[in-house]
Amino acid sequence: MRIVLVGSGYVGLVSGACFAEFGIDVTCVDRDAAKIASLEAGVMPIYEPGLEDLVSRNVRAGRLAFSGDLPAAVAAASAVFIAVGTPTRRGDGHADLTYVFAAAREIAASLRGYTVIVTKSTVPVGTGRKVAAIIAEARPDLAEGRDFDVVSNPEFLREGSAITDFMHPDRVVIGLTDGSEAARAVMRELYRPLFLRDTPILFTGIETAELIKYAANSFLATKISFINEIADLCEKLGANVQEVATGIGLDGRIGKKFLHPGPGFGGSCFPKDCLALVRIGREAQSPLSIVEAVVSFNDARKRQMAERIIAACGGSVAGKRIALLGLTFKPNTDDMRESPSLVVVPLLREAGAEVVACDPEGIAEAKKLLPSITYAESASAAAEGADALVLLTEWNQFRALDWAEMKRRMRGHVVVDLRNIYRPDQMTAAGFAYHSIGRPS
Ligand code: UDX
């Protein structure tokens, strides 16, 4: 089978490489000629563990190719995935579907023979039907003979573990229009290796599949915000949030994942998808008050982290040097989107602090977004002369720091651990004024 991924960004590239690994002939297309040229030269536009190897292996095997020629690729394909970006539209929080609809029009013009068009980008409920309408309008010849179907197949990939998530998903969701048997057969064939491995494959209507993606991400974001709020309460009551999380997480109905308190969630999905679901609910006159609360709580939480750091430094950071470990929104990515660091750093700077930051993969991106700070090569270089040290992202490199050395390098002895990586008793014994999230110090 031959397929095309339209859009060679994060989702398109990872999905394309993984489908190729399943033995399918894949072409990833993109209108950005420079991106295609660099992919052809084996240079990945994003950092994702294992991706470079997977891509080069499948390119060598002749199953994966990159191209700027969408019409040629689409004409030869049985399935075309739309994996273009859906940024939040400026001003109103809506997902911007310009690229999705433009891709649908371009695809329509090149379709030859029965083809399944799959939306992989996260799109508002109803978009699949709109894509179908665009194609039907552009190609009445195909619509008449039912020579195409539109399917929703949302992705649930996490940055940093996207390849494993694709190869070993908890489930695959496939939303069909009008229960199309032809589309079901194509999708079944595509995901055959997972069928054989007994992965649950859920066939639903197209609107349901579209909503599952938003509901899943908003639920996970709610879970994180819930534990963050419980962490705040623990601090007031002298309780320990990690033990609370374990205690509730052992209840199978709750589950222990996504109960790590921290500086608030970031990334390309949770903030955007929560906002989009809020809009979808308002428009349908079925407001999602819980998700609305999550959005505003999470925004406030990021700002509150700066206040926490300032309080730990005795109420003022004016003229103080702060070492900041971790800038990306989570480890194993170079992605800075909606990262707490983008809120915390400017507030610390406004309060008069000098910030020296380090991050294993994020510095190139961070330099564009946070130009007013100094960047260090390593945690110990960042700690040099610092009054306080803040752990913002839980990279493995920061999990076993040599605290005796850190103490020698630092001028002060304040440590604010916003990811609860270290133990309060050990840090206190090492001579630090240690602050963490939701735990008695
Ligand atoms: C998420 C979803 O997990 C994935 O299914 C979806 O397809 C895209 O969005 P991702 O954004 O890559 O993936 O990262 P994830 O690991 O889910 O973390 C998101 C944010 O939540 C990060 O900022 C992380 O630090 C935070 N988080 C996560 C917590 O603060 N606590 C937790 O317990 C888990």
Side-chain angles (χ1 to χ4, degrees):
M1 184 176 307
R2 197 175 277 277
I3 66 167
V4 177
L5 278 290
V6 178
S8 300
Y10 191 79
V11 172
L13 191 54
V14 171
S15 310
C18 289
F19 276 129
E21 185 77 4
F22 284 174
I24 291 158
D25 278 319
V26 178
T27 308
C28 288
V29 302
D30 205 290
R31 56 169 51 177
D32 180 346
K35 187 185 268 183
I36 292 297
S38 85
L39 280 167
E40 280 180 329
V43 180
M44 299 298 109
I46 46 157
Y47 172 76
E48 179 64 33
L51 184 61
E52 204 173 310
D53 280 353
L54 189 71
V55 166
S56 66
R57 184 164 67 242
N58 282 285
V59 167
R60 273 201 311 276
R63 289 188 299 259
L64 178 61
F66 302 100
S67 166
D69 187 353
L70 182 143
V74 167
S78 311
V80 180
F81 284 75
I82 301 181
V84 297
T86 54
T88 302
R89 206 160 63 189
R90 218 175 279 263
D92 63 3
H94 269 299
D96 184 348
L97 297 177
T98 316
Y99 303 118
V100 172
F101 294 149
R105 273 185 285 272
E106 253 189 282
I107 292 165
S110 312
L111 291 174
R112 301 273 176 284
Y114 178 75
T115 315
V116 180
I117 295 92
V118 190
T119 55
K120 194 108 191 109
S121 311
T122 305
V123 289
V125 181
T127 304
R129 299 244 177 222
K130 282 189 193 149
V131 167
I134 288 173
I135 298 173
E137 195 185 60
R139 295 291 303 272
D141 55 320
L142 295 180
E144 216 165 90
R146 239 204 122 141
D147 257 353
F148 76 93
D149 272 304
V150 176
V151 160
S152 162
N153 174 213
E155 55 83 18
F156 299 96
L157 310 177
R158 281 166 306 172
E159 289 182 24
S161 56
I163 292 165
T164 318
D165 287 350
F166 193 99
M167 298 289 184
H168 305 274
D170 288 339
R171 80 303 205 187
V172 173
V173 175
I174 296 169
L176 303 171
T177 4
D178 314 319
S180 165
E181 279 307 322
R184 186 192 295 258
V186 168
M187 296 308 286
R188 211 183 257 277
E189 183 59 26
L190 272 177
Y191 282 106
R192 222 163 75 87
L194 299 185
F195 268 102
L196 298 177
R197 244 185 259 150
D198 285 338
T199 305
I201 314 266
L202 189 65
F203 285 100
T204 68
I206 193 159
E207 287 80 9
T208 304
E210 288 168 342
L211 188 55
I212 286 172
K213 175 65 196 273
Y214 283 108
N217 275 354
S218 299
F219 188 87
L220 292 169
T222 304
K223 204 170 173 189
I224 296 168
S225 294
F226 181 83
I227 202 67
N228 280 340
E229 204 162 39
I230 292 289
D232 287 348
L233 182 62
C234 285
E235 284 167 21
K236 295 273 159 53
L237 302 181
N240 183 326
V241 71
Q242 275 175 325
E243 289 164 11
V244 173
T246 307
I248 63 175
L250 285 169
D251 183 328
R253 292 168 302 177
I254 296 175
K256 60 181 196 294
K257 293 185 183 159
F258 274 66
L259 284 178
H260 300 289
F265 58 79
S268 62
C269 289
F270 287 172
K272 177 166 76 76
D273 291 352
C274 285
L275 268 184
L277 188 59
V278 163
R279 295 295 311 190
I280 292 168
R282 283 195 195 155
E283 261 170 28
Q285 270 145 46
S286 183
L288 291 151
S289 59
I290 296 172
V291 186
E292 292 192 20
V294 166
V295 169
S296 57
F297 174 83
N298 195 59
D299 286 347
R301 182 154 190 89
K302 292 179 187 171
R303 293 193 296 274
Q304 204 227 325
M305 292 302 113
E307 288 160 27
R308 222 174 240 266
I309 295 163
I310 295 169
C313 291
S316 168
V317 288
K320 291 192 176 153
R321 181 182 293 188
I322 310 238
L324 197 74
L325 308 193
L327 291 160
T328 51
F329 80 99
K330 66 175 208 175
N332 298 324
T333 175
D334 58 356
D335 200 336
M336 289 287 296
R337 281 177 286 182
E338 305 284 338
S339 176
S341 65
L342 296 176
V343 176
V344 170
V345 169
L347 288 172
L348 291 177
R349 294 283 297 136
E350 262 169 46
E354 182 196 343
V355 177
V356 184
C358 79
D359 189 285
E361 295 292 338
I363 290 184
E365 194 56 29
K367 278 184 175 164
K368 298 181 209 155
L369 303 164
L370 300 169
S372 79
I373 61 173
T374 311
Y375 292 92
E377 283 295 315
S378 64
S380 43
E384 200 67 55
D387 295 287
L389 183 144
V390 178
L391 285 152
L392 196 54
T393 317
E394 69 280 31
W395 284 91
N396 277 340
Q397 286 88 333
F398 306 146
R399 285 183 186 274
L401 296 173
D402 178 346
W403 288 107
E405 190 206 344
M406 290 303 202
K407 199 151 170 242
R408 274 196 303 277
R409 288 182 179 256
M410 286 171 69
R411 184 163 62 192
H413 57 280
V414 173
V415 171
V416 185
D417 178 359
L418 299 177
R419 297 287 184 172
N420 288 354
I421 301 175
Y422 290 96
R423 282 190 19 211
D425 53 346
Q426 284 178 339
M427 293 301 288
T428 311
F432 289 97
Y434 177 75
H435 307 261
S436 62
I437 304 270
R439 301 185 299 179
S441 37

